[in-house]
Amino acid sequence: MSVNRYDNLFIQSNINPFPYTSKLKGRDKKLPPRDRENHGLRLQRQLDHLWQEAKDQDDYRTAVSLPIRQGTYIEFESLPDFDLASKSLEDRAKGIRLLNVRTVKVQEKEVKKATVFVPKGRENNYLKKVEQYLNNETKTGKPKNQKLINSIENIKLAVLESFWPISQIKWIPEEKPEWCEIWLSSDLAEVEENFRRLISQTLNLPLQNEALRFPERTVVLLKANRTQLMELILLSSDIAEIRKAAEINSFFIEMENSEQSDWARELVERIEIDDELDVCICILDTGINNGHVMIEPLLRDEDRNSYDDAWGLDDHNGHGTKMAGLSAFGDIKAALEESGKIKIYHNLESSKIIPNTGENDPKLYGAITSTVISNHMINNPHRKRIICMAVTAPKYETGDGSPSSWSAAIDELTSGFLDEEKKLFIVSAGNINDNNEWTNYPESNMSLSVQNPAQSWNALSVGAYTEKTEVEARQHKGMEVVAPNGGLSPFSSTSLIWDNKWPIKPEILMEGGNALKDSFGCYTSEELSSLTTYYKPFERHFDYINATSAATAKAAWLAAQIQSKYPDAWPETLRGLMVHSAEWTETMKSQFLEGNQKKDYRKLLRICGFGVPDLNRAIYCMNNSVNLIVQSELQPYDKKADGSYKTKDMHIHELPWPKDILLGMGESNVKMKVTLSYFIEPGPGEIGWKDRYRYPSCLLRFDVNGTDSKESFLQRINAAADSDDNDLDSGGGNVKWVLGKQNRHLGSIHSDLWQGTAAELATSNFIGIYPAVGWWRERSWIGRWDRKIRYSLIVSLISEEETVDLYTPIITSIKTTVPIKI
């Protein structure tokens, strides 16, 4: 039979949620045994000494007419390799605020530290808790406050280092003032106003106008040295954290191009632009010069803006115009070599976020990013906008995957928190720009971290691979390419060195070019890069671009094709389809997959993401390969009668599998791929995001029944349906995932593949979507516990036998598929 292509199947059924309670039990804190009397008395002495020290400090400042803050910062510390009951340190009713939680390595052991602000008049709060610990028992006969007091090893006044992430301690300024992010402990405008007034009236330090707001946090940029930062802590009662300000990277090598300008004119004559769908790619960069004959039809003057009017609109560097060429055409070289009509389904927008001059004070780029996108949304609110940015800040890279103010701003922007509009944001993972490092390929890639802000949970972060391995032998005699065909590009950064609690980054790889090497070193090459547009068309029309910038522009083009094909697809769905359609090349697997264990796939994921996406796999079904898509929402949390909070809803989707056909295929190999995509709202205000102070607003998970019956499946995953205490991660239903839950349950997009016999897959037709803990529930006082979260679920059933027709029976039965009612 012939193999036909069909549109993806969007299931538009209403989902009936039912009560969900996780069967996973919270881990008890690892607390040290204590001698009650000795330990309590020792902590009493520490507190007495601490408050006397704080009083002496205030008395001295008052005597010399220096202002004092209305409270005290103190730091709590655990025993090495034991927990700290940090959530019990806070008492919001009394104004006692937990500001940050950190983990410090001490002689290969982990020490937990927490910084707390205690307002004036509340100095006896912890002393009372210690006294109760010494003198009172609970109903079970244990010392009162035992978990909290036993977890505390030391208490002391906070110092400057108490406010810095552990990974950034080395960047605390010394005598020379440096730009720093000051994270205020409130999102109220009056707190920011008071802080700015305090700075202007006392320290008179440079302070940038931009500000970022997150739940319970405001971020401003201040230029100060160590002494001034220490004085700042003594003055202000509103500091939660301090971090090094991000500084963006320089842009990439300009490459010569001998192409003739008449190629561009001939190409433009073959363009047919269909903008009825109003899809656009919004490029955040150095600006775009739309005087170029190939860009002018796609970018109107009114669709260009700049963060600062003084910067102008034109591309001063060339990088933005390079990005525009690939974002518009995908593969310009292929377009030039064709002779037929070229259909373009999207247009361009430009936001200039980079100043013209090379040396500028660092900016709060999260605020700049939010501002320019907001301007585009106001000017054209109904456009289906794909945001594309290949600007990173590698200079002060922590290398651990933790969020930054910039990445958190992207998460806030894409989540729809600011304007109720979800957005697809595509960002480059960042590059290895040092050709000396390319000589150590691919080890250099594995040691270089994905760069800020590509650690964003909601953004689609793009790395680079390459199929460019052919060069002119006479011109490059004695040289060879660095990367093999289908391998990781020499330029691409990875997340291999990250803590595994952070998302898989980059999620996908696109063509980013290759490099040459000889006995003397490594070099970039025009032949091993992508052809694109040049920003000074009066000099020449074409230029070359490589690395993750090229990959990001091509990813934006790919997303525009999917959006044009499916105008009603959500941004979550576009991101999901790009990841869902991605596969590793055989070269990648030979480079980095060392075995078939889950840890082996984790390494491959951290280097190559989910692989290289394929447009046809993303937008089409075939007879033997069917894509089902569900766009839905659920309410993850609810309020109990006693005022506490709990998980609320779970969705069960019944898949319209052709059971008779699958059972008839018997032992034939079949694959089921599942991808779950959703956007979180960031809560980036705590260093370490420990206990209830977590980064994502809500987490979602998926599971399938495998060979379990519907009843067994529900009992396995839902404590609301069955009170037995089972471990959710113990598996069930004979489902043998390739990646496994520990690898896929990271970030806000989860994808995995199950390969089994057709008979096994025949009964695996139930998928559960359920919530996990996030700050919407844990920070209930912010009032977002009853919010709903959207998600896109993509499921593919794939047979290796091309003669099998799975599509026809699925499309026949899909209209009768109904959600399960519990």
Side-chain angles (χ1 to χ4, degrees):
M1 64 179 284
S2 61
V3 177
N4 299 313
R5 295 196 308 184
Y6 308 95
D7 286 351
N8 292 336
L9 302 176
F10 283 75
I11 302 176
Q12 301 292 339
S13 58
N14 293 321
I15 305 300
N16 290 322
F18 65 95
Y20 171 75
T21 302
S22 174
K23 304 191 80 168
L24 284 174
K25 302 301 179 182
R27 179 181 66 86
D28 288 337
K29 290 187 178 297
K30 183 182 177 183
L31 301 176
R34 299 286 191 181
D35 180 290
R36 180 179 182 181
E37 184 174 2
N38 288 338
H39 182 62
L41 292 174
R42 185 171 64 84
L43 292 187
Q44 275 187 337
R45 290 193 295 270
Q46 287 190 9
L47 285 166
D48 288 338
H49 176 75
L50 178 154
W51 292 122
Q52 184 60 50
E53 190 179 357
K55 181 179 182 303
D56 292 344
Q57 191 178 73
D58 286 354
D59 289 346
Y60 169 78
R61 292 180 65 84
T62 301
V64 295
S65 300
L66 290 174
I68 60 173
R69 63 181 175 229
Q70 295 304 302
T72 306
Y73 295 112
I74 62 179
E75 182 177 272
F76 293 84
E77 184 179 288
S78 73
L79 264 176
D81 280 353
F82 284 95
D83 286 323
L84 179 67
S86 54
K87 64 181 180 181
S88 299
L89 295 172
E90 186 171 59
D91 190 334
R92 297 182 60 81
K94 296 179 179 178
I96 298 173
R97 306 194 304 269
L98 176 61
L99 302 175
N100 62 65
V101 181
R102 313 177 311 286
T103 300
V104 184
K105 284 277 190 179
V106 178
Q107 296 180 348
E108 299 305 313
K109 293 185 177 183
E110 292 187 346
V111 173
K112 313 297 191 302
K113 294 188 177 186
T115 305
V116 174
F117 179 77
V118 180
K120 291 283 188 183
R122 300 297 184 182
E123 291 84 356
N124 288 331
N125 182 75
Y126 295 115
L127 280 169
K128 288 180 180 179
K129 289 183 182 292
V130 175
E131 290 172 359
Q132 291 170 343
Y133 169 81
L134 286 168
N135 302 314
N136 301 104
E137 281 81 31
T138 65
K139 292 180 179 179
T140 60
K142 295 180 179 179
K144 196 169 185 179
N145 306 319
Q146 183 183 36
K147 288 186 177 180
L148 170 62
I149 304 304
N150 276 12
S151 76
I152 300 171
E153 176 65 10
N154 290 308
I155 313 172
K156 59 185 179 181
L157 288 180
V159 294
L160 179 59
E161 284 76 6
S162 304
F163 296 86
W164 283 75
I166 299 303
S167 59
Q168 293 197 18
I169 293 291
K170 58 184 177 292
W171 295 326
I172 295 178
E174 294 301 332
E175 293 184 9
K176 180 183 177 183
E178 302 280 356
W179 285 103
C180 301
E181 293 181 358
I182 309 298
W183 291 60
L184 304 179
S185 57
S186 172
D187 54 10
L188 297 177
E190 63 188 73
V191 172
E192 180 192 348
E193 293 168 3
N194 290 338
F195 180 80
R196 290 183 179 275
R197 190 180 306 113
L198 177 69
I199 296 301
S200 64
Q201 293 176 353
T202 56
L203 296 179
N204 195 27
L205 298 174
L207 193 61
Q208 295 278 13
N209 293 326
E210 295 94 2
L212 276 172
R213 279 191 172 77
F214 302 108
E216 301 185 301
R217 291 293 182 268
T218 301
V219 186
V220 295
L221 277 187
L222 177 77
K223 193 171 188 179
N225 60 22
R226 172 181 279 272
T227 301
Q228 292 164 334
L229 289 174
M230 293 170 64
E231 179 66 15
L232 179 64
I233 293 169
L234 293 171
L235 287 172
S236 174
S237 303
D238 298 311
I239 298 174
E241 306 169 30
I242 307 175
R243 306 184 186 184
K244 188 70 183 70
E247 295 185 17
I248 64 169
N249 62 326
S250 57
F251 289 100
F252 311 101
I253 300 171
E254 303 287 342
M255 297 181 183
E256 293 297 324
N257 188 339
S258 60
E259 302 293 341
Q260 299 298 313
S261 62
D262 57 345
W263 287 9
R265 299 190 192 98
E266 190 274 337
L267 175 62
V268 171
E269 292 174 0
R270 294 187 282 115
I271 292 176
E272 291 183 355
I273 300 175
D274 181 1
D275 57 3
E276 291 184 6
L277 296 173
D278 212 13
V279 177
C280 78
I281 297 175
C282 180
I283 300 173
L284 279 55
D285 214 286
T286 58
I288 300 174
N289 289 345
N290 62 344
H292 195 291
V293 66
M294 290 172 57
I295 296 175
E296 186 273 334
L298 302 174
L299 178 59
R300 303 179 304 174
D301 278 335
E302 55 265 39
D303 289 333
R304 298 193 299 163
N305 71 28
S306 177
Y307 173 72
D308 188 329
D309 291 340
W311 298 352
L313 299 173
D314 291 336
D315 185 355
H316 64 276
N317 172 282
H319 192 262
T321 307
K322 289 181 182 183
M323 295 290 294
L326 290 191
S327 296
F329 296 94
D331 188 334
I332 290 181
K333 185 173 183 292
L336 290 168
E337 292 172 348
E338 293 176 2
S339 57
K341 293 292 184 181
I342 297 174
K343 195 82 169 179
I344 297 180
Y345 297 93
H346 63 282
N347 52 32
L348 301 177
E349 291 178 340
S350 170
S351 278
K352 187 167 184 173
I353 64 170
I354 310 295
N356 291 347
T357 52
E359 294 297 327
N360 292 276
D361 291 335
K363 297 289 184 180
L364 202 56
Y365 274 89
I368 291 176
T369 303
S370 298
T371 298
V372 295
I373 294 302
S374 176
N375 291 338
H376 281 297
M377 296 289 294
I378 293 170
N379 294 336
N380 293 284
H382 302 298
R383 281 185 178 168
K384 297 176 175 64
R385 183 172 285 103
I386 296 156
I387 306 168
C388 172
M389 186 177 75
V391 180
T392 59
K395 186 173 181 180
Y396 297 106
E397 182 56 64
T398 61
D400 60 4
S402 58
S404 67
S405 66
W406 194 359
S407 72
I410 291 174
D411 285 336
E412 187 173 63
L413 176 74
T414 52
S415 73
F417 170 75
L418 300 174
D419 55 10
E420 297 299 324
E421 290 289 334
K422 306 288 195 297
K423 305 169 193 67
L424 178 61
F425 200 115
I426 300 177
V427 62
S428 62
N431 300 324
I432 301 175
N433 286 322
D434 185 352
N435 58 357
N436 292 323
E437 292 289 341
W438 303 336
T439 60
N440 297 319
Y441 171 90
E443 284 73 18
S444 54
N445 302 75
M446 293 188 281
S447 62
L448 182 78
S449 168
V450 165
Q451 296 163 2
N452 184 24
Q455 70 270 47
S456 161
W457 284 48
N458 294 343
L460 182 69
S461 303
V462 185
Y465 88 114
T466 188
E467 294 181 1
K468 296 183 180 295
T469 56
E470 299 295 326
V471 293
E472 210 286 320
R474 288 173 296 179
Q475 183 180 352
H476 302 291
K477 188 176 181 179
M479 306 186 77
E480 58 182 320
V481 293
V482 171
N485 188 14
L488 186 70
S489 170
F491 306 104
S492 193
S493 59
T494 69
S495 63
L496 186 62
I497 62 175
W498 284 9
D499 188 311
N500 203 50
K501 68 181 178 180
W502 301 119
I504 297 297
K505 295 288 176 176
E507 290 97 338
I508 62 170
L509 306 181
M510 299 290 286
E511 177 63 69
N514 210 337
L516 289 169
K517 64 180 178 179
D518 59 17
S519 59
F520 298 100
C522 296
Y523 317 91
T524 56
S525 166
E526 295 178 358
E527 295 173 76
L528 300 176
S529 304
S530 293
L531 186 67
T532 189
T533 42
Y534 187 56
Y535 76 121
K536 295 180 179 179
F538 293 108
E539 296 181 10
R540 64 178 191 267
H541 280 72
F542 296 109
D543 202 353
Y544 289 88
I545 186 172
N546 58 18
T548 58
S549 290
T552 302
K554 290 181 178 181
W557 176 87
L558 183 68
Q561 310 315 299
I562 301 173
Q563 182 73 89
S564 300
K565 174 66 176 175
Y566 299 109
D568 295 327
W570 293 346
E572 300 96 316
T573 304
L574 299 183
R575 181 180 69 151
L577 283 169
M578 293 176 77
V579 169
H580 191 78
S581 69
E583 292 183 357
W584 299 300
T585 65
E586 290 303 315
T587 304
M588 292 173 195
K589 288 188 280 190
S590 66
Q591 281 184 304
F592 306 114
L593 187 60
E594 299 172 352
N596 288 318
Q597 297 184 36
K598 298 296 185 281
K599 64 180 180 64
D600 299 316
Y601 280 100
R602 179 179 303 170
K603 178 180 179 180
L604 181 61
L605 275 169
R606 287 287 179 195
I607 296 171
C608 298
F610 294 93
V612 182
D614 181 271
L615 180 58
N616 286 326
R617 282 198 299 266
I619 64 176
Y620 292 120
C621 302
M622 294 188 293
N623 293 98
N624 65 327
S625 177
V626 184
N627 300 328
L628 301 176
I629 301 172
V630 176
Q631 297 183 146
S632 188
E633 66 177 5
L634 61 76
Q635 183 177 329
Y637 310 122
D638 202 0
K639 193 173 186 178
K640 295 181 182 179
D642 63 3
S644 61
Y645 297 85
K646 63 176 183 177
T647 51
K648 183 177 188 291
D649 290 341
M650 171 184 181
H651 286 175
I652 293 288
H653 300 276
E654 183 175 6
L655 306 174
W657 287 166
K659 293 184 179 180
D660 292 342
I661 293 176
L662 290 170
L663 289 171
M665 294 171 62
E667 297 299 309
S668 299
N669 290 327
V670 179
K671 301 176 183 178
M672 180 170 69
K673 191 168 189 178
V674 181
T675 300
L676 175 64
S677 176
Y678 56 96
F679 290 161
I680 60 100
E681 182 186 334
E686 318 298 335
I687 298 175
W689 297 275
K690 181 178 166 57
D691 297 324
R692 59 181 173 155
Y693 296 90
R694 303 180 185 220
Y695 183 76
S697 51
C698 167
L699 293 171
L700 296 181
R701 301 286 185 254
F702 72 79
D703 204 351
V704 303
N705 67 306
T707 55
D708 282 348
S709 67
K710 177 181 68 177
E711 292 76 15
S712 297
F713 178 48
L714 292 174
Q715 290 176 356
R716 171 157 60 87
I717 65 175
N718 191 2
D722 185 332
S723 60
D724 290 342
D725 183 14
N726 294 321
D727 183 358
L728 190 60
D729 279 330
S730 63
N734 297 318
V735 181
K736 298 179 178 64
W737 295 107
V738 171
L739 301 180
K741 295 178 181 180
Q742 298 304 314
N743 289 332
R744 75 168 183 252
H745 284 171
L746 302 171
S748 62
I749 185 163
H750 316 304
S751 187
D752 211 340
L753 180 71
W754 178 29
Q755 304 178 76
T757 67
E760 290 173 328
L761 267 293
T763 60
S764 184
N765 62 329
F766 296 106
I767 295 186
I769 308 296
Y770 55 90
V773 176
W775 67 260
W776 276 354
R777 191 186 85 170
E778 302 304 287
R779 294 178 179 178
S780 56
W781 56 85
I782 298 179
R784 300 183 70 78
W785 55 268
D786 59 349
R787 298 278 296 184
K788 292 185 177 180
I789 185 167
R790 295 194 333 188
Y791 68 85
S792 175
L793 175 66
I794 306 166
V795 187
S796 293
L797 182 63
I798 307 157
S799 170
E800 295 179 354
E801 298 181 16
E802 293 186 0
T803 57
V804 172
D805 183 10
L806 301 173
Y807 180 84
T808 301
I810 289 177
I811 190 63
T812 300
S813 66
I814 200 167
K815 293 182 180 180
T816 63
T817 301
V818 295
I820 297 174
K821 297 181 180 180
I822 304 297

